[in-house]
Amino acid sequence: DQFLQLENQNLPINFEIKGKIEGAVNQALTLEAQSNKGTIELARTLIKEDGTFEMKGNIQGMGIYQLKLGALDNKVAPLTLEPKDKVFLQASYATFESLPIWSGAKWAEPLTAYMAKFNDFAKEQTKLSEQQGLTEEQQIDLFLKMRKPLDEYAKNQVLKDLTNPVNIILVTS
């Protein structure tokens, strides 16, 4: 995968992410965007000794971004930043990609709730994949039943606020 770094040092700061991530001392934290040319790094910082961090930078507009913790590709949390957002993230290294707690923006609370529900769904899906003796039809039926609370939450959240940026994630996952 091609990796590009955006030369945005001269652009005005239009977002801020602060927070605390337990168990991630000295880890790099990178805000990335996907493009047709590959991954674009928009901002980067290091987690301090006490687990806190502060990241500021510039984004072109509202969109789906990802916050990547460390060098591994599996420690990634999605977010729907908008210019002027000042958000706070509370997380741990162990559950960074599955249970981040966001606050400070219109999309923060619904995204936090959705990620918790998605994490529950993923655990149930893992249990389903380990079950023996089920027909394909039974597996599909159980999968759809497990997925229903997640889909219901997404549907209700979108209908509650049609203008919330988090809807991009809710309708595409």
Side-chain angles (χ1 to χ4, degrees):
D1 205 9
Q2 189 177 2
F3 190 81
L4 306 170
Q5 184 165 4
L6 187 64
E7 297 296 327
N8 64 359
Q9 289 84 0
N10 297 326
L11 297 175
I13 291 171
N14 68 0
F15 78 86
E16 182 178 300
I17 305 171
K18 292 181 180 180
K20 186 168 186 174
I21 303 173
E22 299 291 336
V25 173
N26 295 323
Q27 292 282 326
L29 191 63
T30 309
L31 182 70
E32 299 176 340
Q34 298 297 321
S35 79
N36 58 358
K37 296 180 182 178
T39 303
I40 302 169
E41 179 181 311
L42 300 174
R44 179 187 292 245
T45 192
L46 287 177
I47 310 295
K48 297 176 188 169
E49 291 292 324
D50 63 357
T52 63
F53 70 90
E54 184 174 334
M55 176 185 287
K56 296 179 180 180
N58 183 282
I59 56 174
Q60 288 185 349
M62 187 274 288
I64 298 178
Y65 298 91
Q66 61 186 27
L67 202 56
K68 181 177 173 184
L69 179 59
L72 302 175
D73 286 338
N74 66 337
K75 293 288 179 188
V76 175
L79 62 158
T80 51
L81 273 179
E82 294 184 284
K84 299 184 182 173
D85 274 353
K86 292 184 179 187
V87 296
F88 188 84
L89 171 63
Q90 182 74 35
S92 73
Y93 182 83
T95 60
F96 178 80
E97 69 282 2
S98 57
L99 295 172
I101 301 170
W102 293 100
S103 59
K106 175 180 186 172
W107 51 264
E109 187 179 320
L111 181 59
T112 297
Y114 182 77
M115 292 298 292
K117 290 180 185 315
F118 193 89
N119 186 55
D120 292 344
F121 167 69
K123 287 178 184 176
E124 291 298 314
Q125 192 175 10
T126 299
K127 288 179 191 173
L128 177 62
S129 69
E130 295 167 354
Q131 285 187 21
Q132 300 292 320
L134 294 176
T135 66
E136 187 175 344
E137 188 176 310
Q138 289 171 319
Q139 286 179 332
I140 291 169
D141 186 49
L142 287 170
F143 174 85
L144 293 174
K145 284 179 184 171
M146 290 184 314
R147 175 92 193 177
K148 189 172 183 171
L150 187 65
D151 293 339
E152 286 293 318
Y153 175 80
K155 176 184 165 189
N156 291 335
Q157 180 59 44
V158 169
L159 292 174
K160 184 166 44 170
D161 184 358
L162 295 173
T163 65
N164 195 318
V166 78
N167 296 345
I168 298 171
I169 292 175
L170 299 181
V171 300
T172 58
S173 62

